[in-house]
Amino acid sequence: MPRRSWGPCALCGLLTGLVALSPVGGRGQALDEDVGEPARALAVGDTSLGGRLAQTFVDVRRHELPNGVHVVLDPHGETALVTVAVSISAGSRDQGHGWTGLAHLAEHLMFRSRASQPSHYIERIENLGAIEVNGVTERDRTVYFETVPSEALDQVLWFEAERFAQVLPELDAAAIANEREIVLRERAIREAQRRIGPSLVDRELYPVGHSYAEAALERTQDLAAIGLPEMRSFLQRAYAPSLMTIVVSGRFDPEHAHERVEALFGTLRASAPPIEPPGVNVPRLDAERRLLIDVPRATDQLSVLWPTPPYGTQDDAALDIAARLLAVDVQERLARLGLVVVVRQDSADVSSELSVVVEVPRRSGTRIPLDAVDAALRHRLAHPPRPDELERARLHMLETLASAASSRRERALMLSRRPPAFPDGVYDPRTDLARYDSLDPDAVHQAIRRWLPRDRRLLVSLNASARAPFEGRLVTRVVVR
Amino acid sequence: MRSGITIGVAVGLVGVGACGAPRETLPPPREPLVAHLALPPRPPPPEPAAMGPATSIETFVLPCGIEVHLADRPHAVLTYFALYAGGGHLGDGSPIAVDLAVTYAIEDHVDGRAALDRRGLILTSRSGSAETIERAVELVRVVGGESLPVSLLARAGESIEASGTSRMEHDLVSRVYGGRSPEAAYANPRVGRHFVPAVPIRARIAQVFDPARMRLVVVGDVDRATLEAQLAAATRDVAATPHAAPREIEIAPWAPPRPQIRGYGSDISLGHIAGLAAGPALDDPSHAAFRVAATILGGMYSSRANLVFRDERRETYGAHAAVFDRGTHALVRFETTVETPQLGSVLELLFDELDRLGTLERLSEEEVARARRLEIVREVARWDDAEALAMAILEARIHGLRASPQHAIEAIMTVNAEAVAEVSRHWLAPHRLALIVSGRSDWMFTHPLSAPGGYAAAEP
């Protein structure tokens, strides 16, 4: 599943590797081996959960404007609300070496648009009754969204089109300086919550030159170096019409919305060659790597991580199921200790990550949870899941997808994705559902054997230490060959 | 096989530019994009009555006393459940660790989430399978009387350690509720390390998990007759108890503790301000105005506090306020994070903003209208989302209130600037806000902050 962390109280959130790690010196892997072909689309009319969920998407219409803007219209629901999402298929992976923070800063600047009006953008859009207004910078994309009463759709489409059109003419050094300060504040808060700098783990997972190697970073000196020329260059190449996807989801007239979107966004034109998206590149660790890091947090923590195939591949779906199976296994083994276990496949376009994270009481050490993880992993490497286990895990995944599709905002965000591994490079819910529908025990077993080797992974032990520096202190780094 | 081990000790890792290579040269900018169309006319305010279908809620009571509310959503793919199971740290003397242990144990057992606050344990789940009703039955059985499996108790004997954050959090809450009466509901902090043996857990279950206090909400495409029959069958062994009225939660008449601000030091450069104030209950005529006032304070991005702190002064990433309903009263919570040396100036502006809210001449009709509109849309959205709807009905029923979106929307529509100023003068006057401020220790110890009510010396 793609990572979802849409924070409710931030005007934007930088979606970058929380615990991204991977191999120094590991070889990159172009994804051509055994990850399976994209699955067939799930048939409408199927009465299973997946079939009923697919049925809710039958009215989705997609088309492309002459300038390359991709449009998704999703009329559904009985309440007169509509969510508009504008997604740019460029994110923090596309900044260029040495320009960390550029994509995030660009996202902030979009909220400063006055769009030819005297008052603040946010003030005017909230005057329409807009809720859930936000922007998010991910590694693979940047997305903006809001929910408004249906009768305000024309206005909100105008505001969206206008701010994309006017962001460059309005851009000035003062605006960049202002938002740079706010981005630095946001970074400080995010690090305070996470209590560990992303560079420590990303450096282990992604080799120099990988498009995710610097994606989670925002170096102060890089932000300080961003001026008008760099920002204009980035906006022209990243916010090109061909990289733009607009989703309208909720109660609205599709014909009218089509006409308005075409009139408003059809006038955008490219003024520079768009950024070329990076290809699939899954790093492979060449050994087990272990980090021990002192951090000023309340509890110790163990993380076990593997680089895994990108979003949309068959093995990505198999690893979603594997994550659920491992979560149950590890939780059972640690239940008597009352430890909290989270296992997830964080899917992304270039390379995903599967992580097992166990919170441990301070000074308890991570040996016991690691033994539990290893025991669970040994079992899963040796045996395919039983059919009943697979069915429970599959149901859990489908319920998770159905829950997202039931939320207007998450549904719009889901439909605005353009993962390269999907047919034609656009997210299709029925294809997504079919990925899970077609999995059998052997496919899950093979994916575990292929992607979760015990001797090529990253172990991160966070040691709670009141005296550790705020951003964490690496104590040891061990490579086990 | 492991063939070798390399150990390296890293130095100066974080923040170092991780890169020996020179910064990449970006292509030069070209001519900008331009759009030409005129802004469409502003639409009229939304008509709440036309925004969504009315939600009908059917209610029935099982023989054992559990009250069930069913909101039918034809063709919904998922069904959502929310069960209020009682318990909660309501000033009845039970260590909260016991309730937490039970919460974790139950969460392990059911396929859903368990959350405990001072009102009690709330279980939520969702289902898209053919066994939808069985999921509801499972939720009820696990807390319905003596059916709590012994295996669950294994996990209950766990350690719970509050973090520094929750120490501050509970100090804040305690100062709101416990200023006059330390025994008042909500007043007891949950701090420290606890080991909970099974015996008090069993006693706690027998004492508090009373079917007659339970409320189950189901939202989805579910047949009422089938649901009622299966729930009744599943709970036929559960002893019936007289149906109890919702538990009344009293708070002491508001008198903010002095000093008003408590400061904490830390080794973190960031400072944090968290404020909490009580307000009128959900069924109070002034509740809607209180809600709009809180939205103006920090419930929208265009709130003056947020725009000034963030965009003009660049002192914070944002300032936020939100309302939480608690039956006999409401709470408004305000928070923001700043660099420690800016705590004083941000506090000053916060107090000015509270003063402004209570001064009619300083409020603009436009900001009141904007806040009112946002609250209406939020209310409509809340009742449209099945998961949120289940929680909204449950929240209302825990406190014996009527669950009615139309009632809430109509109340919000009547709020004007006079009502906002009046409710703010009463509930949001600067001296009524309990504040916890944290920041870098060396600064906190040498820079006492000023506020109505005074300031307690910073604690490490």
PDB file of all heavy atoms in Angstrom, chain B residues 436-460:
ATOM      1  N   ILE B 436       0.286  25.202  29.301  1.00  0.00           N
ATOM      2  CA  ILE B 436       1.543  24.507  29.547  1.00  0.00           C
ATOM      3  C   ILE B 436       2.514  24.985  28.469  1.00  0.00           C
ATOM      4  O   ILE B 436       2.198  24.948  27.283  1.00  0.00           O
ATOM      5  CB  ILE B 436       1.383  22.977  29.427  1.00  0.00           C
ATOM      6  CG1 ILE B 436       0.427  22.442  30.492  1.00  0.00           C
ATOM      7  CG2 ILE B 436       2.738  22.298  29.508  1.00  0.00           C
ATOM      8  CD1 ILE B 436       0.971  22.459  31.891  1.00  0.00           C
ATOM      9  N   VAL B 437       3.653  25.432  28.897  1.00  0.00           N
ATOM     10  CA  VAL B 437       4.652  25.923  27.949  1.00  0.00           C
ATOM     11  C   VAL B 437       5.938  25.144  28.171  1.00  0.00           C
ATOM     12  O   VAL B 437       6.380  24.987  29.302  1.00  0.00           O
ATOM     13  CB  VAL B 437       4.917  27.430  28.162  1.00  0.00           C
ATOM     14  CG1 VAL B 437       5.995  27.919  27.218  1.00  0.00           C
ATOM     15  CG2 VAL B 437       3.632  28.220  27.961  1.00  0.00           C
ATOM     16  N   SER B 438       6.502  24.636  27.108  1.00  0.00           N
ATOM     17  CA  SER B 438       7.788  23.953  27.238  1.00  0.00           C
ATOM     18  C   SER B 438       8.787  24.594  26.290  1.00  0.00           C
ATOM     19  O   SER B 438       8.405  25.195  25.287  1.00  0.00           O
ATOM     20  CB  SER B 438       7.641  22.459  26.914  1.00  0.00           C
ATOM     21  OG  SER B 438       7.235  22.291  25.578  1.00  0.00           O
ATOM     22  N   GLY B 439      10.033  24.465  26.635  1.00  0.00           N
ATOM     23  CA  GLY B 439      11.070  25.059  25.786  1.00  0.00           C
ATOM     24  C   GLY B 439      12.454  24.720  26.304  1.00  0.00           C
ATOM     25  O   GLY B 439      12.604  23.960  27.264  1.00  0.00           O
ATOM     26  N   ARG B 440      13.439  25.297  25.665  1.00  0.00           N
ATOM     27  CA  ARG B 440      14.821  24.997  26.022  1.00  0.00           C
ATOM     28  C   ARG B 440      15.096  25.424  27.464  1.00  0.00           C
ATOM     29  O   ARG B 440      14.786  26.551  27.866  1.00  0.00           O
ATOM     30  CB  ARG B 440      15.738  25.750  25.057  1.00  0.00           C
ATOM     31  CG  ARG B 440      17.097  25.135  24.870  1.00  0.00           C
ATOM     32  CD  ARG B 440      17.923  25.927  23.885  1.00  0.00           C
ATOM     33  NE  ARG B 440      18.205  27.265  24.366  1.00  0.00           N
ATOM     34  CZ  ARG B 440      17.938  28.388  23.674  1.00  0.00           C
ATOM     35  NH1 ARG B 440      17.391  28.322  22.474  1.00  0.00           N
ATOM     36  NH2 ARG B 440      18.223  29.571  24.176  1.00  0.00           N
ATOM     37  N   SER B 441      15.688  24.524  28.232  1.00  0.00           N
ATOM     38  CA  SER B 441      15.805  24.734  29.673  1.00  0.00           C
ATOM     39  C   SER B 441      16.485  26.040  30.043  1.00  0.00           C
ATOM     40  O   SER B 441      15.994  26.791  30.885  1.00  0.00           O
ATOM     41  CB  SER B 441      16.576  23.574  30.305  1.00  0.00           C
ATOM     42  OG  SER B 441      15.807  22.424  30.257  1.00  0.00           O
ATOM     43  N   ASP B 442      17.630  26.338  29.410  1.00  0.00           N
ATOM     44  CA  ASP B 442      18.371  27.517  29.853  1.00  0.00           C
ATOM     45  C   ASP B 442      17.545  28.785  29.656  1.00  0.00           C
ATOM     46  O   ASP B 442      17.576  29.703  30.473  1.00  0.00           O
ATOM     47  CB  ASP B 442      19.715  27.611  29.117  1.00  0.00           C
ATOM     48  CG  ASP B 442      19.556  27.697  27.604  1.00  0.00           C
ATOM     49  OD1 ASP B 442      18.463  27.364  27.110  1.00  0.00           O
ATOM     50  OD2 ASP B 442      20.513  28.107  26.930  1.00  0.00           O
ATOM     51  N   TRP B 443      16.760  28.815  28.608  1.00  0.00           N
ATOM     52  CA  TRP B 443      15.926  30.000  28.365  1.00  0.00           C
ATOM     53  C   TRP B 443      14.738  30.015  29.336  1.00  0.00           C
ATOM     54  O   TRP B 443      14.400  31.053  29.902  1.00  0.00           O
ATOM     55  CB  TRP B 443      15.437  29.986  26.917  1.00  0.00           C
ATOM     56  CG  TRP B 443      14.842  31.293  26.478  1.00  0.00           C
ATOM     57  CD1 TRP B 443      15.473  32.315  25.842  1.00  0.00           C
ATOM     58  CD2 TRP B 443      13.491  31.720  26.667  1.00  0.00           C
ATOM     59  NE1 TRP B 443      14.604  33.347  25.614  1.00  0.00           N
ATOM     60  CE2 TRP B 443      13.377  33.006  26.111  1.00  0.00           C
ATOM     61  CE3 TRP B 443      12.359  31.135  27.250  1.00  0.00           C
ATOM     62  CZ2 TRP B 443      12.188  33.723  26.111  1.00  0.00           C
ATOM     63  CZ3 TRP B 443      11.167  31.846  27.254  1.00  0.00           C
ATOM     64  CH2 TRP B 443      11.096  33.132  26.685  1.00  0.00           C
ATOM     65  N   MET B 444      14.126  28.859  29.513  1.00  0.00           N
ATOM     66  CA  MET B 444      12.930  28.796  30.357  1.00  0.00           C
ATOM     67  C   MET B 444      13.237  29.211  31.800  1.00  0.00           C
ATOM     68  O   MET B 444      12.415  29.796  32.483  1.00  0.00           O
ATOM     69  CB  MET B 444      12.348  27.380  30.350  1.00  0.00           C
ATOM     70  CG  MET B 444      11.847  26.907  29.001  1.00  0.00           C
ATOM     71  SD  MET B 444      10.391  27.799  28.429  1.00  0.00           S
ATOM     72  CE  MET B 444       9.144  27.155  29.515  1.00  0.00           C
ATOM     73  N   PHE B 445      14.431  28.867  32.278  1.00  0.00           N
ATOM     74  CA  PHE B 445      14.770  29.201  33.658  1.00  0.00           C
ATOM     75  C   PHE B 445      15.100  30.677  33.846  1.00  0.00           C
ATOM     76  O   PHE B 445      15.033  31.205  34.940  1.00  0.00           O
ATOM     77  CB  PHE B 445      15.964  28.353  34.130  1.00  0.00           C
ATOM     78  CG  PHE B 445      15.562  26.973  34.534  1.00  0.00           C
ATOM     79  CD1 PHE B 445      15.972  25.871  33.819  1.00  0.00           C
ATOM     80  CD2 PHE B 445      14.744  26.779  35.644  1.00  0.00           C
ATOM     81  CE1 PHE B 445      15.597  24.604  34.190  1.00  0.00           C
ATOM     82  CE2 PHE B 445      14.360  25.514  36.026  1.00  0.00           C
ATOM     83  CZ  PHE B 445      14.786  24.418  35.300  1.00  0.00           C
ATOM     84  N   THR B 446      15.468  31.325  32.764  1.00  0.00           N
ATOM     85  CA  THR B 446      15.919  32.714  32.905  1.00  0.00           C
ATOM     86  C   THR B 446      14.938  33.734  32.317  1.00  0.00           C
ATOM     87  O   THR B 446      15.173  34.925  32.402  1.00  0.00           O
ATOM     88  CB  THR B 446      17.290  32.898  32.219  1.00  0.00           C
ATOM     89  OG1 THR B 446      17.197  32.415  30.875  1.00  0.00           O
ATOM     90  CG2 THR B 446      18.374  32.124  32.953  1.00  0.00           C
ATOM     91  N   HIS B 447      13.882  33.266  31.708  1.00  0.00           N
ATOM     92  CA  HIS B 447      12.918  34.183  31.075  1.00  0.00           C
ATOM     93  C   HIS B 447      11.491  33.841  31.514  1.00  0.00           C
ATOM     94  O   HIS B 447      10.736  33.247  30.730  1.00  0.00           O
ATOM     95  CB  HIS B 447      13.008  34.116  29.552  1.00  0.00           C
ATOM     96  CG  HIS B 447      14.305  34.587  29.003  1.00  0.00           C
ATOM     97  ND1 HIS B 447      15.446  33.827  29.026  1.00  0.00           N
ATOM     98  CD2 HIS B 447      14.636  35.760  28.405  1.00  0.00           C
ATOM     99  CE1 HIS B 447      16.431  34.498  28.469  1.00  0.00           C
ATOM    100  NE2 HIS B 447      15.976  35.672  28.089  1.00  0.00           N
ATOM    101  N   PRO B 448      11.114  34.176  32.727  1.00  0.00           N
ATOM    102  CA  PRO B 448       9.731  33.904  33.144  1.00  0.00           C
ATOM    103  C   PRO B 448       8.753  34.602  32.203  1.00  0.00           C
ATOM    104  O   PRO B 448       8.957  35.741  31.794  1.00  0.00           O
ATOM    105  CB  PRO B 448       9.668  34.491  34.544  1.00  0.00           C
ATOM    106  CG  PRO B 448      11.070  34.586  34.991  1.00  0.00           C
ATOM    107  CD  PRO B 448      11.893  34.827  33.761  1.00  0.00           C
ATOM    108  N   LEU B 449       7.713  33.912  31.837  1.00  0.00           N
ATOM    109  CA  LEU B 449       6.713  34.464  30.927  1.00  0.00           C
ATOM    110  C   LEU B 449       5.645  35.176  31.736  1.00  0.00           C
ATOM    111  O   LEU B 449       5.427  34.865  32.909  1.00  0.00           O
ATOM    112  CB  LEU B 449       6.090  33.335  30.103  1.00  0.00           C
ATOM    113  CG  LEU B 449       7.103  32.548  29.267  1.00  0.00           C
ATOM    114  CD1 LEU B 449       6.504  31.234  28.795  1.00  0.00           C
ATOM    115  CD2 LEU B 449       7.545  33.384  28.076  1.00  0.00           C
ATOM    116  N   SER B 450       4.992  36.110  31.103  1.00  0.00           N
ATOM    117  CA  SER B 450       3.948  36.821  31.842  1.00  0.00           C
ATOM    118  C   SER B 450       2.586  36.468  31.262  1.00  0.00           C
ATOM    119  O   SER B 450       2.433  36.265  30.054  1.00  0.00           O
ATOM    120  CB  SER B 450       4.169  38.325  31.748  1.00  0.00           C
ATOM    121  OG  SER B 450       4.056  38.750  30.404  1.00  0.00           O
ATOM    122  N   ALA B 451       1.623  36.358  32.171  1.00  0.00           N
ATOM    123  CA  ALA B 451       0.265  36.037  31.746  1.00  0.00           C
ATOM    124  C   ALA B 451      -0.668  36.368  32.888  1.00  0.00           C
ATOM    125  O   ALA B 451      -0.251  36.395  34.052  1.00  0.00           O
ATOM    126  CB  ALA B 451       0.156  34.556  31.426  1.00  0.00           C
ATOM    127  N   PRO B 452      -1.935  36.632  32.587  1.00  0.00           N
ATOM    128  CA  PRO B 452      -2.894  36.812  33.673  1.00  0.00           C
ATOM    129  C   PRO B 452      -2.896  35.547  34.522  1.00  0.00           C
ATOM    130  O   PRO B 452      -3.027  34.455  33.991  1.00  0.00           O
ATOM    131  CB  PRO B 452      -4.223  36.987  32.937  1.00  0.00           C
ATOM    132  CG  PRO B 452      -3.865  37.343  31.538  1.00  0.00           C
ATOM    133  CD  PRO B 452      -2.553  36.712  31.264  1.00  0.00           C
ATOM    134  N   GLY B 453      -2.707  35.671  35.788  1.00  0.00           N
ATOM    135  CA  GLY B 453      -2.686  34.479  36.628  1.00  0.00           C
ATOM    136  C   GLY B 453      -1.300  34.075  37.055  1.00  0.00           C
ATOM    137  O   GLY B 453      -1.134  33.347  38.018  1.00  0.00           O
ATOM    138  N   GLY B 454      -0.274  34.532  36.329  1.00  0.00           N
ATOM    139  CA  GLY B 454       1.077  34.254  36.781  1.00  0.00           C
ATOM    140  C   GLY B 454       1.721  33.070  36.106  1.00  0.00           C
ATOM    141  O   GLY B 454       1.170  32.462  35.189  1.00  0.00           O
ATOM    142  N   TYR B 455       2.909  32.748  36.575  1.00  0.00           N
ATOM    143  CA  TYR B 455       3.769  31.780  35.903  1.00  0.00           C
ATOM    144  C   TYR B 455       4.502  30.952  36.934  1.00  0.00           C
ATOM    145  O   TYR B 455       5.076  31.478  37.882  1.00  0.00           O
ATOM    146  CB  TYR B 455       4.769  32.559  35.042  1.00  0.00           C
ATOM    147  CG  TYR B 455       5.825  31.716  34.373  1.00  0.00           C
ATOM    148  CD1 TYR B 455       5.485  30.869  33.320  1.00  0.00           C
ATOM    149  CD2 TYR B 455       7.141  31.774  34.783  1.00  0.00           C
ATOM    150  CE1 TYR B 455       6.444  30.102  32.696  1.00  0.00           C
ATOM    151  CE2 TYR B 455       8.118  31.015  34.154  1.00  0.00           C
ATOM    152  CZ  TYR B 455       7.766  30.183  33.121  1.00  0.00           C
ATOM    153  OH  TYR B 455       8.716  29.429  32.503  1.00  0.00           O
ATOM    154  N   ALA B 456       4.469  29.643  36.787  1.00  0.00           N
ATOM    155  CA  ALA B 456       5.206  28.774  37.694  1.00  0.00           C
ATOM    156  C   ALA B 456       6.593  28.551  37.153  1.00  0.00           C
ATOM    157  O   ALA B 456       6.773  28.395  35.946  1.00  0.00           O
ATOM    158  CB  ALA B 456       4.488  27.443  37.835  1.00  0.00           C
ATOM    159  N   ALA B 457       7.557  28.519  38.057  1.00  0.00           N
ATOM    160  CA  ALA B 457       8.943  28.361  37.631  1.00  0.00           C
ATOM    161  C   ALA B 457       9.103  27.101  36.793  1.00  0.00           C
ATOM    162  O   ALA B 457       8.450  26.095  37.032  1.00  0.00           O
ATOM    163  CB  ALA B 457       9.844  28.302  38.848  1.00  0.00           C
ATOM    164  N   ALA B 458       9.975  27.205  35.821  1.00  0.00           N
ATOM    165  CA  ALA B 458      10.187  26.081  34.923  1.00  0.00           C
ATOM    166  C   ALA B 458      10.769  24.891  35.666  1.00  0.00           C
ATOM    167  O   ALA B 458      11.558  25.046  36.600  1.00  0.00           O
ATOM    168  CB  ALA B 458      11.124  26.508  33.800  1.00  0.00           C
ATOM    169  N   GLU B 459      10.371  23.738  35.260  1.00  0.00           N
ATOM    170  CA  GLU B 459      10.894  22.507  35.842  1.00  0.00           C
ATOM    171  C   GLU B 459      11.709  21.774  34.802  1.00  0.00           C
ATOM    172  O   GLU B 459      11.325  21.729  33.647  1.00  0.00           O
ATOM    173  CB  GLU B 459       9.734  21.608  36.276  1.00  0.00           C
ATOM    174  CG  GLU B 459       8.834  22.256  37.314  1.00  0.00           C
ATOM    175  CD  GLU B 459       7.603  21.421  37.565  1.00  0.00           C
ATOM    176  OE1 GLU B 459       7.390  20.449  36.816  1.00  0.00           O
ATOM    177  OE2 GLU B 459       6.885  21.741  38.503  1.00  0.00           O
ATOM    178  N   PRO B 460      12.795  21.182  35.199  1.00  0.00           N
ATOM    179  CA  PRO B 460      13.577  20.426  34.211  1.00  0.00           C
ATOM    180  C   PRO B 460      12.831  19.160  33.808  1.00  0.00           C
ATOM    181  O   PRO B 460      12.037  18.662  34.567  1.00  0.00           O
ATOM    182  CB  PRO B 460      14.859  20.105  34.942  1.00  0.00           C
ATOM    183  CG  PRO B 460      14.516  20.191  36.383  1.00  0.00           C
ATOM    184  CD  PRO B 460      13.416  21.182  36.509  1.00  0.00           C
TER     185      PRO B 460
END
